[in-house]
Amino acid sequence: MEGDVAFRADEAANNGYERARNYLIPRTFDPAHRQKAEAALLDIVDQLGPVVEGYPTWHPLVANHDGRNPETTPNTRSGYEGLDHTVYFAHGFITCPYQGSGKASKVIESVSKLPYHHCASITAEELEIEFYNSGTTATLVKCEWHDGLDLGHLIPKRLAVPLMLEQELPCWRWSERAETWETMRPYLLGEPHGGRSSLFVGQETALAMKHVYMAMVQSGMFGPLKMG
């Protein structure tokens, strides 16, 4: 068991897909459009993994941020411009700015300016299919990992642990208090998550991350453990 209730990845993924479908494929679309849009959405999930609510702070899609103020969703503080009506997947997202706003080109331009990431390439492209509203330009941003992912689009331990370390280790320079693992889980495992896994990492990987994080905390490098 993970906390009081076991984390059911399949259930979380299915619930996320239903929310995304209802959001991106409104009933105002005609039946043919809805069918075409759902086929495209299923293909995107197959490519990029399940619908999620927030990324681990070390994920390449949000890694370009102020180290003291980590981000869990793509936004202007993590280098993106023009995002509007956005749905997140484990390794990419769809954003749907309105046509004529110029925001779609801003999305693509801002992605092209993101700093080099040693583990992944981030790309953006306009989609031919319309999502959210017939007056928007659906734009797909993808995180393409240089090394392969584990089954189920999960990030392997060999990548997740060092990426977490790169994110957390520099904090010792300014941190005054150490955060508990329970507090850090949404930031290090992503959302949704359970006690020992998420839609980004499996149980073995999450356990390794916890051990490494707690070793840093117990060393005292972040300061005394924050209680309550």
Side-chain angles (χ1 to χ4, degrees):
M1 297 291 289
E2 303 182 356
D4 295 329
V5 180
F7 178 64
R8 297 178 175 86
D10 289 346
E11 183 178 320
N14 289 337
N15 290 342
Y17 177 79
E18 290 300 319
R19 289 195 305 272
R21 183 180 65 175
N22 292 337
Y23 186 71
L24 292 173
I25 310 173
R27 296 191 180 277
T28 52
F29 286 176
D30 64 58
H33 188 170
R34 285 177 60 84
Q35 185 176 11
K36 185 178 179 181
E38 181 154 11
L41 180 59
L42 285 168
D43 183 57
I44 290 168
V45 169
D46 188 55
Q47 289 181 54
L48 304 182
V51 175
V52 298
E53 299 167 21
Y55 296 93
T57 53
W58 46 264
H59 195 291
L61 283 170
V62 294
N64 178 39
H65 57 231
D66 175 2
R68 294 196 181 204
N69 298 285
E71 300 293 333
T72 59
T73 56
N75 54 50
T76 55
R77 295 181 299 279
S78 49
Y80 299 93
E81 300 292 340
L83 304 188
D84 206 0
H85 315 299
T86 304
V87 170
Y88 311 120
F89 306 88
H91 307 292
F93 58 89
I94 294 173
T95 191
C96 304
Y98 276 93
Q99 296 168 5
S101 68
K103 287 185 176 180
S105 60
K106 287 182 180 179
V107 175
I108 294 173
E109 183 179 355
S110 65
V111 167
S112 72
K113 293 179 179 179
L114 289 173
Y116 169 80
H117 195 285
H118 54 289
C119 288
S121 299
I122 301 175
T123 61
E125 60 181 314
E126 289 186 18
L127 299 175
E128 293 183 4
I129 187 71
E130 291 178 334
F131 285 113
Y132 183 72
N133 185 290
S134 58
T136 62
T137 301
T139 305
L140 181 66
V141 177
K142 296 191 290 187
C143 174
E144 299 177 286
W145 293 83
H146 299 159
D147 289 342
L149 297 173
D150 287 344
L151 191 65
H153 299 280
L154 296 175
I155 302 169
K157 181 168 58 176
R158 70 181 183 276
L159 296 177
V161 171
L163 285 171
M164 180 194 71
L165 275 169
E166 288 178 347
Q167 162 76 32
E168 297 302 317
L169 194 60
C171 299
W172 80 272
R173 298 171 186 166
W174 49 265
S175 177
E176 297 179 357
R177 306 281 289 187
E179 298 285 358
T180 66
W181 173 251
E182 288 68 26
T183 298
M184 292 299 293
R185 277 187 313 197
Y187 301 99
L188 300 182
L189 300 184
E191 293 278 17
H193 69 83
R196 293 181 293 178
S197 64
S198 71
L199 294 180
F200 295 95
V201 294
Q203 289 196 24
E204 181 182 350
T205 299
L207 185 60
M209 293 169 65
K210 180 180 180 180
H211 285 163
V212 171
Y213 178 76
M214 291 309 300
M216 289 191 287
V217 168
Q218 290 161 7
S219 76
M221 61 189 284
F222 299 134
L225 185 64
K226 186 183 295 183
M227 303 301 291

